[in-house]
């Protein structure tokens, strides 16, 4: 009974999590996009014997399946003369759910163009691809399919397809509980349970924090209201500037320009409101600036894919996770594929794309597609998935839902970076300036997992350095779990970063109560590093590289062949690797352009050199005077930091050599300089000088750095995202 009373609050939290996860399933079912079952018309005519068929970038295997072998697999049907309102492609067996397909149609044997096509994704058990066409006399069709299929028949009809709306919620009320998404409820329970456990565990501390804040307010309410007035005064001032510029026809009075000025005012107001605590709590100012600039990116960039690197893939992964894996794909989601949407920077184009996507979303979904969400990588997509799910629950439009996923991804970055800065105040400015490098904050405001890696690796390093610099304080198991857990979370999306665990082995002996305590700690460090290393190296060795290979690198790419080449001549590969790293990858011009200025498909940031200067100043000179009394970072720790950084970069380059580069090439393709950024920050945190101190009062130095960065960022992003308004 005593144990039950001791753990009663945790049992209650678990029960609450279970109830809430079921509620998530019910709410999700009630807020699904409209679901339509599209079927072929009752009357249709087969034209399989009438047409001539040509296959491109594909081949038929011995079972009769058409298998893609090139970049643009397609099947063309000639001489299909006749009136048609609907085309039905009948398959002998279902395709893999989620396979993309597209039917082009033309009259009088004209060339195929994107505007005369219908696309979709195969759903679970689908054996008929039904296409609704404008009624006309067509002569030629072209079927593009991204996966293997076996053609059974092609039929045409002058009748429209039959679309039947499926009432999923009604099925639940009829007793069909199976319509609930079990995988989504399992995911919801896992997330809610972890949050509930943390809340119960930290409840007394949270309660004490609110009590302390209330007491602080009662002691000096004037300070709070002055900060409040400063914040809203800056927002109102920014709105007034926007109105004046709009009246003078300098700025077009649009939603975008309005949000830009409101964010600028809110960011300035937030920074000034926390300026009085710049010396003791600089992380507040930095967090406000990161949030303000990040929202500028998330809200103002085009609401389409092809904005950031591979964001169409990252969005789809977050979307799958928001549904729990059984994804109800709409035509708007299908349009979020490479080269499908235009993100041109003129107001008419932006407005037109927004309206088109929202109309496609309102047309509903034609069925569910299974996605693999029960994998480690899915953890990094949780923030975006939560944002998409919440937006769908509140019935927001497609473009608002798309942006909501960006915003929650950014919030994760801000929150984790805030706690990293709070934990290691001596490096809070360094972390903040690094997080505000134009490329880094651009990634944080878009669909990508690089910001997840950067934030959690920074948090894990901050915990390590904080513990290292206080040898008089024994290492608690909670801090060890936080440190190793953060590093593991940071490595999950890209396990090539596992060398960062090396620093943890240099924890001072004074931190442990006895030798047994130290041994168990080191076993935990080695075990965590081994788990991360095995998730990368293990599959590579077990499959001999066969599972690796990205066809975007060309037809000569072969993971199996490349691994054999490396193992067969390791000295030659070492030469290739070092030549690439020191001849191309680490060139200052490449690093500057690719990791500071580059904004993917949106262009180049104009003031990148200023951020390099600020980063160097903060790195070399800024350190609070009180921090000089703490334990200095040892030489071996700095060496370990440099070695782990270099090893992680070598891992990244080797991964791209295996997966993206033709076999035996003398260089490495596809290894972007931005890959080094998540492990560059931990190295900078550890190797920064021990004895420097900025003679300028910390309050004014930090406020000056924050204001300079804010002005540069808002001014630099204007030509990239606001020139059309």
């Amino acid at each position: 009974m005593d144990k039950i009373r001791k753990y009663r609050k945790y049992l209650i939290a678990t029960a609450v999590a279970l109830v809430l996860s079921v509620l998530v399933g019910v709410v999700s079912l009630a807020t699904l996009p409209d679901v339509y079952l599209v079927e072929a018309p009752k009357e249709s005519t087969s034209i399989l014997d009438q047409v001539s068929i040509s296959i491109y970038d594909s081949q038929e295997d011995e079972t009769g399946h058409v298998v893609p072998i090139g970049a643009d697999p397609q099947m063309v049907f000639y001489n299909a003369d006749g009136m048609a309102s609907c085309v039905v492609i009948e398959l002998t067996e279902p395709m893999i759910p989620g396979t993309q397909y597209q039917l082009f149609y033309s009259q009088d044997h004209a060339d195929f163009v994107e505007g005369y096509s219908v696309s979709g994704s195969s759903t679970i058990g689908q054996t008929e691809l039904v296409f609704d066409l404008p009624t006309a006399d067509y002569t030629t069709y072209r079927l593009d399919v991204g996966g293997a299929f076996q053609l059974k028949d092609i039929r045409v009809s002058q009748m429209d397809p039959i679309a039947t709306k499926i009432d999923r919620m009604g099925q639940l009320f009829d007793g069909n509980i199976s319509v609930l998404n079990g995988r989504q409820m399992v995911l919801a329970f896992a997330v809610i349970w972890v949050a509930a456990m943390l809340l119960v565990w930290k409840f007394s501390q949270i309660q004490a924090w609110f009590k302390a804040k209330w007491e602080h307010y009662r002691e000096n309410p004037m300070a709070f209201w002055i900060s409040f007035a400063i914040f809203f005064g800056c927002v109102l001032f920014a709105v007034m500037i926007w109105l004046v510029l709009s009246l003078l026809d300098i700025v077009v009075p649009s939603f975008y320009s309005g949000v830009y000025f409101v964010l600028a005012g809110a960011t300035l107001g937030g920074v000034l409101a926390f300026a009085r605590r710049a010396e003791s709590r600089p992380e507040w100012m930095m967090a406000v600036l990161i949030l303000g600039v990040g929202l500028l990116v998330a809200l103002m960039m085009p609401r389409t894919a092809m904005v950031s690197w591979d964001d169409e893939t990252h969005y789809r992964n977050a979307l799958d996770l928001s549904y729990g894996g059984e994804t109800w794909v709409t035509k708007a989601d299908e349009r979020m594929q490479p080269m499908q949407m235009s993100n041109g920077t003129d107001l008419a184009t932006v407005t037109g794309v927004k309206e088109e996507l929202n109309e496609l979303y309102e047309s509903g979904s034609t069925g569910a597609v299974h996605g693999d969400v029960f994998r480690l990588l899915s953890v990094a997509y949780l923030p975006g998935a939560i944002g998409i799910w919440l937006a769908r629950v509140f019935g927001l439009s497609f473009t608002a839902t798309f942006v909501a996923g960006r915003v929650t991804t950014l919030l994760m970055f801000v929150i984790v970076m805030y706690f990293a800065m709070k934990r290691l105040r001596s490096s809070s400015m360094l972390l903040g300036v690094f997080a505000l490098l134009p490329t880094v904050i651009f990634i944080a405001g878009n669909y990508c997992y690089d910001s997840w890696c950067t934030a959690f690796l920074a948090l894990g390093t901050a915990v390590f350095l904080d513990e290292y610099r206080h040898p008089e304080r024994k290492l608690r198991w909670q801090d060890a779990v936080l440190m190793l857990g953060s590093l593991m979370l940071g490595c999950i999306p890209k396990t090539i970063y596992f060398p960062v665990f090396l620093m943890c082995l240099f924890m001072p002996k004074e931190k442990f109560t006895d030798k047994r305590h130290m041994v168990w700690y080191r076993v935990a460090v080695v075990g965590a590093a081994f788990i991360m290393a095995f998730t990368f190296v293990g599959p590579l060795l077990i499959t001999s590289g066969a599972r690796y290979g990205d066809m975007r690198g060309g037809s000569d790419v072969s993971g199996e062949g490349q691994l054999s080449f490396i193992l067969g001549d390791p000295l030659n590969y070492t030469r290739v690797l070092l030549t690439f790293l020191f001849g191309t990858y680490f060139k200052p011009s490449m690093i500057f352009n690719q990791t500071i200025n580059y904004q993917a498909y949106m262009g180049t940031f104009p003031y990148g050199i200023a951020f390099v200067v600020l980063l160097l100043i903060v790195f070399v000179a800024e350190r609070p005077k009180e921090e000089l009394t703490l334990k200095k970072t040892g030489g071996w720790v700095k060496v370990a930091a440099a070695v782990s950084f270099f090893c992680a970069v070598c891992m990244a380059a080797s991964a791209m050599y295996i997966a993206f580069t033709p076999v035996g090439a003398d260089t490495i393709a596809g290894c972007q300089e931005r890959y080094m950024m998540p492990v560059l920050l931990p190295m900078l945190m550890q190797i920064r000088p021990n004895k420097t101190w900025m003679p300028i009062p910390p309050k004014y130095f930090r406020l000056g750095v924050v204001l300079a960065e804010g002005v540069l960022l808002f001014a630099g992003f204007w030509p990239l995202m606001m020139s059309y308004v």
Side-chain angles (χ1 to χ4, degrees):
M1 291 296 295
D2 291 338
K3 285 188 176 181
I4 293 177
R5 281 194 293 268
K6 181 179 179 181
Y7 295 105
R8 181 176 58 183
K9 55 185 179 182
Y10 295 102
L11 295 174
I12 293 174
T14 301
V16 170
L18 181 61
V19 172
L20 289 178
S21 64
V22 175
L23 182 62
V24 166
V26 175
V27 171
S28 298
L29 187 64
T31 55
L32 280 177
D34 290 336
V35 181
Y36 295 92
L37 178 63
V38 180
E39 298 176 324
K42 295 181 179 179
E43 297 180 5
S44 60
T45 304
S46 174
I47 60 171
L48 184 61
D49 296 333
Q50 171 187 335
V51 298
S52 301
I53 301 176
S54 296
I55 299 175
Y56 301 93
D57 275 356
S58 303
Q59 65 181 13
E60 287 195 35
D61 62 14
E62 62 277 1
T63 63
H65 285 79
V66 177
V67 181
I69 58 174
D72 189 21
Q74 55 187 254
M75 177 181 288
V76 181
F77 304 90
Y78 297 99
N79 304 319
D81 299 317
M83 190 71 66
S85 295
C86 175
V87 173
V88 181
I89 305 293
E90 188 175 356
L91 310 176
T92 57
E93 58 188 39
M95 289 188 294
I96 297 174
T99 301
Q100 300 291 319
Y101 57 80
Q102 188 171 15
L103 184 74
F104 292 82
Y105 46 88
S106 72
Q107 297 174 281
D108 300 324
H109 303 283
D111 293 336
F112 297 111
V113 294
E114 190 73 28
Y116 295 91
S117 67
V118 185
S119 60
S121 298
S122 60
T123 57
I124 303 167
Q126 184 178 7
T127 57
E128 287 188 343
L129 311 181
V130 182
F131 301 94
D132 187 7
L133 278 58
T135 304
D137 191 357
Y138 299 107
T139 57
T140 316
Y141 302 101
R142 191 185 91 190
L143 178 66
D144 292 18
V145 180
F149 69 98
Q150 188 171 14
L151 180 68
K152 182 178 180 181
D153 197 4
I154 174 171
R155 306 194 309 272
V156 298
S157 176
Q158 296 183 23
M159 302 174 64
D160 293 330
I162 300 172
T164 305
K165 186 175 180 179
I166 303 175
D167 185 5
R168 304 286 291 179
M169 199 64 185
Q171 291 177 341
L172 178 64
F173 288 131
D174 290 339
N176 185 8
I177 301 178
S178 63
V179 298
L180 288 173
N181 189 328
R183 292 189 295 178
Q184 186 180 51
M185 289 191 291
V186 170
L187 286 169
F189 175 76
V191 174
I192 297 171
W193 182 82
V194 170
M197 292 296 105
L198 289 174
L199 180 64
V200 170
W201 181 33
K202 295 288 186 178
F203 181 76
S204 59
Q205 296 182 23
I206 295 172
Q207 195 176 30
W209 184 85
F210 278 105
K211 185 177 180 181
K213 293 301 177 183
W214 174 247
E215 292 298 328
H216 180 71
Y217 169 77
R218 293 181 62 186
E219 291 173 3
N220 190 9
M222 185 62 67
F224 170 80
W225 290 111
I226 289 175
S227 298
F228 185 84
I230 290 173
F231 175 79
F232 279 97
C234 289
V235 174
L236 291 175
F237 181 68
V239 172
M240 289 177 61
I241 293 177
W242 173 63
L243 292 174
V244 171
L245 293 177
S246 298
L247 291 173
L248 296 175
D249 290 331
I250 297 175
V251 171
V252 176
S254 69
F255 165 83
Y256 300 94
S257 59
V259 171
Y260 178 93
F261 280 94
V262 169
L263 281 176
T267 303
L268 176 62
V271 168
L272 294 179
F274 291 117
R276 61 190 178 88
R277 304 189 67 185
E279 185 171 357
S280 59
R281 300 296 297 272
E283 62 271 13
W284 281 104
M285 287 195 312
M286 296 305 302
V288 167
L289 185 56
I290 296 170
L291 178 62
V293 179
L295 285 174
L296 185 69
V297 174
L299 297 176
M300 310 310 294
M301 287 292 177
R303 287 134 166 85
T304 66
M306 303 300 285
V307 171
S308 181
W309 294 273
D310 301 321
D311 56 355
E312 74 282 351
T313 300
H314 296 302
Y315 165 69
R316 182 55 186 268
N317 289 337
L319 181 70
D320 288 344
L321 191 60
S322 75
Y323 281 106
E326 191 177 68
T327 310
W328 298 87
V329 179
T330 67
K331 291 188 179 297
D333 298 313
E334 292 170 358
R335 293 285 271 165
M336 292 292 103
Q337 299 300 315
M339 308 309 293
Q340 293 256 332
M341 293 302 300
S342 168
N343 52 20
T345 53
D346 66 89
L347 190 56
T349 300
V350 170
T351 304
V353 169
K354 176 182 176 181
E355 292 175 353
E356 177 189 356
L357 288 171
N358 290 335
E359 288 175 1
L360 289 173
Y361 184 68
E362 291 173 2
S363 67
S365 171
T366 56
V369 176
H370 279 323
D372 184 12
V373 296
F374 285 100
R375 49 181 179 150
L376 280 175
L377 181 60
S378 296
V379 174
Y381 294 113
L382 265 177
I386 291 172
I388 293 172
W389 184 82
L390 287 173
R392 198 163 56 238
V393 166
F394 286 103
L396 301 185
S397 66
F398 176 81
T399 51
T401 302
F402 186 80
V403 171
R406 286 178 175 173
V407 171
T408 48
T409 300
L410 169 70
L411 288 176
M412 174 280 304
F413 181 71
V414 175
I415 292 170
V416 177
M417 289 299 292
Y418 165 78
F419 282 107
M421 291 186 287
K422 181 180 178 181
R423 186 64 186 254
L424 194 64
R425 291 201 176 99
S426 61
S427 293
S428 58
M429 293 299 294
L430 177 64
L431 271 76
V433 172
F434 189 94
L436 287 165
L437 292 175
T439 300
V440 176
I441 193 65
F442 172 78
I443 291 173
N446 279 289
Y447 286 96
C448 191
Y449 52 51
D450 287 34
S451 55
W452 173 281
C453 298
T454 300
F456 278 103
L457 291 181
L459 177 59
T461 305
V463 175
F464 166 75
L465 287 175
D466 182 51
E467 294 298 326
Y468 181 92
R469 293 174 181 175
H470 292 85
E472 78 285 353
R473 191 175 66 200
K474 298 301 179 183
L475 180 65
R476 302 181 304 167
W477 69 268
Q478 298 98 318
D479 294 310
V481 169
L482 177 61
M483 177 180 64
L484 297 179
S486 297
L487 294 177
M488 292 181 74
L489 286 172
C491 289
I492 281 175
K494 293 185 178 180
T495 52
I496 53 176
Y497 296 148
F498 71 85
V500 296
F501 285 93
L502 180 61
M503 65 181 177
C504 301
L505 296 176
F506 293 90
M507 188 71 74
K509 294 181 180 179
E510 299 88 344
K511 296 290 297 180
F512 305 100
T513 54
D514 51 39
K515 188 174 181 180
R516 182 183 179 186
H517 184 197
M518 183 176 67
V519 170
W520 277 112
Y521 165 78
R522 291 181 175 174
V523 168
V525 171
V526 174
F530 177 79
I531 291 172
M532 291 293 100
F534 183 77
T535 57
F536 168 64
V537 179
L540 184 67
L541 296 177
I542 292 172
T543 63
S544 300
R547 62 174 289 186
Y548 291 87
D550 192 329
M551 289 308 296
R552 292 176 300 174
S555 58
D556 294 332
V557 171
S558 167
E560 187 174 4
Q562 198 72 286
L563 186 61
S564 299
F565 170 77
I566 294 173
L567 297 178
D569 195 351
L571 291 178
N572 186 33
Y573 173 66
T574 302
R575 176 191 62 80
V576 172
L577 176 63
L578 296 179
T579 300
F580 168 74
L581 291 179
F582 293 102
T584 302
Y585 196 75
F586 289 137
K587 273 187 176 180
S589 59
M590 293 295 292
I591 294 175
F592 179 75
N593 290 325
Q594 299 297 320
T595 63
I596 308 296
N597 284 347
Y598 201 27
Q599 307 286 288
Y601 300 100
M602 298 306 297
T604 302
F605 194 85
Y607 310 124
I609 187 65
F611 290 91
V612 176
V613 172
L614 286 171
L615 183 65
L616 289 175
I617 291 174
V618 171
F619 174 76
V620 172
E622 199 272 339
R623 192 175 184 192
K625 190 174 182 179
E626 62 272 15
E627 293 289 339
L628 300 178
T629 60
L630 301 180
K631 180 181 175 64
K632 308 297 187 296
T633 307
W636 284 112
V637 174
K638 295 185 177 184
V639 171
V643 169
S644 62
F645 169 76
F646 182 73
C647 289
V649 172
C650 288
M651 291 284 183
S654 299
M656 297 310 296
Y657 191 70
I658 294 171
F660 203 84
T661 308
V663 176
D666 286 334
T667 187
I668 299 176
C671 188
Q672 302 175 34
E673 281 73 9
R674 65 185 175 90
Y675 294 164
M676 76 170 74
M677 300 303 278
V679 285
L680 178 61
L681 179 56
M683 183 184 73
L684 294 177
M685 293 166 65
Q686 295 173 77
I687 68 172
R688 67 181 309 185
N690 289 322
K691 298 182 179 180
T692 58
W693 172 55
M694 171 59 69
I696 301 174
K699 177 179 180 179
Y700 300 109
F701 174 78
R702 291 168 173 172
L703 180 59
V705 170
V706 171
L707 290 176
E709 286 205 312
V711 171
L712 289 169
L713 285 163
F714 273 88
F717 274 120
W718 178 272
L720 292 178
M721 65 179 69
M722 297 298 297
S723 58
Y724 51 89
V725 296

